[in-house]
Amino acid sequence: MSSSASSLKIGLGIIGFGTVGQGVWKHLAANKRQMEVRLGVKIELIGVCVRDPDKKREVQIPGTQIHTDPNKIVDDPRVNILCELMGGTTLAGDITLRALRLGKAVITANKALICEHGTKIFEAASKHGGQYFFEASVAGGIPIIKSLREGLVANRFSEIVGIINGTCNYLLTRMEKEGLSYETVLHDARRLGYVEADESLDLDGVDAYHKAVILAFLAHGKWVPRKSTLVEGIRNVTLEDIRRAHDFGYRIKHLAVIRRNFAKGLMTLGVYPALIPLDKVLARVDGVYNGISLTGDVVGTTTLVGRGAGQDATASAVIGDIVDAIRVLKGSAFHFLTQTDLAAYATLGASARMATLEEIHTSFYLRFKLRDKHGVSAEVYRILAEEKISVARVIQYEHAATRQGTHTLSTHPVTEAAMERALRKFRKLRTVLEPPLVLRIFSPEN
Ligand code: NAP
Ligand code: HSE
C-alpha cells in the first residue's frame, strides 16, 4: 500500500477474469470515484490473470494488464488485495496461501476451496497477518457470512435451512412454472453464468454441501466431513414429481439443512431435494434466488432472501469485501472477528457430534412405478411394515395403456437408517419397475 499526501493507493489483482472476475471490475470501475471518496483511497487495477489471454471478453482492459502466470500478480508488491476468482482447489489454494503468507488481503467466492482447506487458510492468515474474506462464497447477494459473524452472533442456532444453490433453484422453478425439460433450463442457466465450470458440483448437490459446510463452521465451529452428511442433487427429480408434490401440498426445493440439538450434543448436515409445505417462505423463493432461514435461541427465526448466483449478485459481495479489506488495510476499521478468532473458531465445535443415520428422523415422499397387477402394492406395504415405517398419505395414478401404475406416498417421521433398509428391499422387488424416487419432506420438527 503506497501513500501520497492526499490519499493511499490500493493495488488490486484479480486472478480469474470470467463471469465473476469481470463483474467485479465492471461494477467497481463504474462506481470507483464514489468508492474512492468514501474510503479516502485511490484504487488501481494492477492486473488480471486468465488461462487464455486471447479470449474475447465482455469487459475490456489493456493487454499489458493481462497475465497468464498468477504469481506475477501475487508477488507484485503493488498488489495489496488479491481477488481469487478462478475456482478449483489446487492452484487456487496455492495462490491463496502464498498471498496470505505475504500478508496480503485475499478475497474469494470459492466455496470448494474453503470447504476443503479452510483450516489451513485461516491459520495462514492468522499467522502471517494476511486477511481472508469470503462473503461471495455463499448465497451471492445475501450477506449471510456477515450475518452469522456479526449481526446474529448472539445466537446459538438450532436450525439453519436454506436454498443455497441458485442453479438448482432456477432449474426446479422453471421446470415447474413453464413445464420445461431439465436440459432446456440447464442450457439457460449455463448461458446466464449460474453454473459452475464443473456442473456436476451444482447438479449433484456438492456446491450446496460446500456452502453448508461454511455456514456450519461459522455457526457451530465444526468442519463437517462429507462422510457424515447426506448429499443429493436434483438429477432424479422429474416434472411428474414436481406435480405430485403439489398434490400433497408441497413444492420441491433443493435444501441445505443444518441442525444442532444442544441438549444431546448432536449435529446433522444434509443437502437434498425436499418437499416443503406451500405456505413456508422458502417454498416461495424462486428462480436464481436463494433463501436462508436461521433459527436462533435469541432472535427466533430470521429469513434472508436474495439473488444467489450470477455475475452481479456475486460481484456485489466481492466488492463489499474489497471495501472491508481496504478499511482493514487503512487500519481504520474495527473488524468484528479477526483472522485469529476465525482460526480459533474450530474449538467451539468440539462438543458437537455428527448424528448417525439411526438418530436422524425425517418424513419421506416415495414414488414407485409398479406393474398394474393385484397384490403389487401389498409387497411395498409389507416392507414398510417390516421397517416400522408408517404411511401418512397415498395417491395412486394408473396408466392403463402401459399397464403400469405410479404409486406415491408420504410417511410419518422415520429414521434415515430404516428408510435405507427399506430401499434396499424395494430394489429387489420384481414388480417395482425402476428404483423408487425418495425425497425428504422438510418440517421444522424433524
Ligand atoms: P469462470 O467464468 O469459469 O471464470 C474462471 C476464470 O478463471 C476465467 O477467467 C479463467 O480463464 C480463469 N482461470 C481458470 N483456471 C485458470 C488457470 N489455471 N490459470 C489462470 N486463469 C485461470 O468462473 P466463475 O463463474 O467466474 O467462477 C469463479 C469462482 O467464483 C468459482 O470459485 C465459483 O465457484 C465462484 N462463484 C461463481 C458464481 C457464479 O454465479 N458464476 C457465484 C458465486 C461464486 P479464461 O477466461 O482464460 O478461461
Ligand atoms: N453455481 C452456483 C449456484 C454459483 O448456482 O449457486 C453461486 O455460488
Side-chain angles (χ1 to χ4, degrees):
M1 190 170 48
S2 59
S3 74
S4 68
S6 58
S7 64
L8 297 171
K9 260 195 193 157
I10 299 288
L12 189 68
I14 303 180
I15 311 283
F17 209 55
T19 304
V20 182
Q22 292 184 81
V24 168
W25 186 243
K26 180 173 77 179
H27 291 295
L28 195 55
N31 297 324
K32 194 159 151 289
R33 177 78 193 118
Q34 176 212 7
M35 206 75 91
E36 288 177 339
V37 170
R38 278 197 193 169
L39 294 164
V41 299
K42 282 259 174 249
I43 301 168
E44 192 187 346
L45 179 66
I46 305 295
V48 307
C49 178
V50 294
R51 204 171 10 206
D52 174 5
D54 300 323
K55 199 188 254 184
K56 201 164 173 294
R57 292 177 203 273
E58 172 202 352
V59 176
Q60 304 302 321
I61 58 166
T64 52
Q65 287 183 328
I66 302 177
H67 305 274
T68 52
D69 176 4
N71 291 333
K72 275 234 162 59
I73 295 176
V74 178
D75 295 342
D76 189 324
R78 295 171 300 163
V79 171
N80 317 104
I81 299 178
L82 187 83
C83 297
E84 182 279 291
L85 302 171
M86 66 185 286
T89 55
T90 310
L91 184 56
D94 293 344
I95 290 166
T96 299
L97 290 172
R98 189 178 176 108
L100 291 172
R101 285 175 187 140
L102 290 168
K104 303 197 181 208
V106 178
I107 291 162
T108 194
N110 190 340
K111 49 264 165 165
L113 179 63
I114 304 169
C115 183
E116 238 174 74
H117 298 298
T119 309
K120 219 178 348 174
I121 291 172
F122 294 162
E123 279 172 7
S126 165
K127 187 166 168 201
H128 299 280
Q131 300 287 330
Y132 194 58
F133 299 87
F134 50 98
E135 186 62 69
S137 65
V138 185
I142 303 175
I144 184 65
I145 307 292
K146 263 188 198 289
S147 298
L148 280 169
R149 293 175 74 181
E150 302 175 25
L152 297 175
V153 74
N155 294 272
R156 296 199 308 163
F157 295 99
S158 53
E159 182 175 277
I160 299 175
V161 54
I163 295 168
I164 54 177
N165 184 272
T167 301
C168 286
N169 205 35
Y170 180 81
L171 261 82
L172 291 173
T173 305
R174 289 201 60 202
M175 282 168 70
E176 176 181 347
K177 300 219 158 162
E178 299 169 52
L180 294 171
S181 75
Y182 179 87
E183 279 307 327
T184 307
V185 189
L186 181 57
H187 180 267
D188 285 352
R190 285 187 196 118
R191 186 177 47 77
L192 291 163
Y194 301 157
V195 188
E196 297 296 316
D198 171 1
E199 63 191 34
S200 75
L201 292 174
D202 291 309
L203 304 175
D204 296 321
V206 182
D207 175 77
Y209 160 74
H210 290 151
K211 293 167 178 168
V213 165
I214 296 171
L215 297 183
F217 177 73
L218 293 175
H220 302 296
K222 194 169 188 77
W223 291 111
V224 179
R226 177 86 179 261
K227 64 177 173 21
S228 314
T229 62
L230 301 161
V231 179
E232 290 171 19
I234 60 163
R235 289 188 204 260
N236 294 331
V237 179
T238 63
L239 202 50
E240 184 186 358
D241 294 308
I242 293 172
R243 293 194 178 125
R244 301 294 170 244
H246 254 277
D247 296 345
F248 281 91
Y250 297 97
R251 289 185 80 189
I252 298 181
K253 292 286 175 192
H254 190 261
L255 296 184
V257 183
I258 304 161
R259 291 203 169 106
R260 174 107 181 242
N261 181 326
F262 288 94
K264 293 185 180 165
L266 284 183
M267 202 172 141
T268 63
L269 186 153
V271 301
Y272 38 71
L275 279 69
I276 183 161
L278 291 168
D279 62 352
K280 293 272 170 237
V281 177
L282 290 182
R284 298 193 296 274
V285 173
D286 281 340
V288 76
Y289 278 75
N290 283 187
I292 305 175
S293 282
L294 308 104
T295 302
D297 54 348
V298 184
V299 75
T301 299
T302 294
T303 302
L304 305 165
V305 176
R307 278 204 174 81
Q311 186 175 65
D312 297 340
T314 316
S316 169
V318 173
I319 294 169
D321 276 351
I322 292 175
V323 169
D324 275 355
I326 292 173
R327 292 207 179 106
V328 173
L329 289 169
K330 283 183 72 187
S332 62
F334 166 65
H335 201 242
F336 178 71
L337 271 181
T338 65
Q339 296 298 319
T340 314
D341 295 330
L342 204 44
Y345 229 52
T347 55
L348 291 176
S351 62
R353 172 173 71 77
M354 295 309 293
T356 65
L357 294 185
E358 294 286 358
E359 293 169 309
I360 306 175
H361 291 78
T362 311
S363 298
F364 288 91
Y365 157 95
L366 292 108
R367 186 249 291 151
F368 297 90
K369 286 253 188 288
L370 300 176
R371 251 184 245 296
D372 197 3
K373 196 175 128 195
H374 69 274
V376 290
S377 45
E379 293 186 309
V380 168
Y381 285 92
R382 175 183 52 78
I383 293 172
L384 291 170
E386 278 170 13
E387 294 304 333
K388 300 189 175 49
I389 297 171
S390 154
V391 173
R393 284 188 69 192
V394 179
I395 304 182
Q396 188 160 330
Y397 309 85
E398 282 178 44
H399 313 293
T402 54
R403 298 183 56 79
Q404 291 179 8
T406 303
H407 197 89
T408 54
L409 57 86
S410 63
T411 74
H412 291 295
V414 294
T415 67
E416 290 277 350
M419 185 52 75
E420 219 175 76
R421 286 192 296 272
L423 281 176
R424 276 200 294 272
K425 293 181 183 172
F426 291 142
R427 283 191 199 109
K428 290 187 190 146
L429 290 181
R430 295 235 303 274
T431 44
V432 172
L433 298 172
E434 56 187 53
L437 179 84
V438 183
L439 300 175
R440 290 166 187 83
I441 299 179
F442 175 76
S443 137
E445 300 88 48
N446 59 45

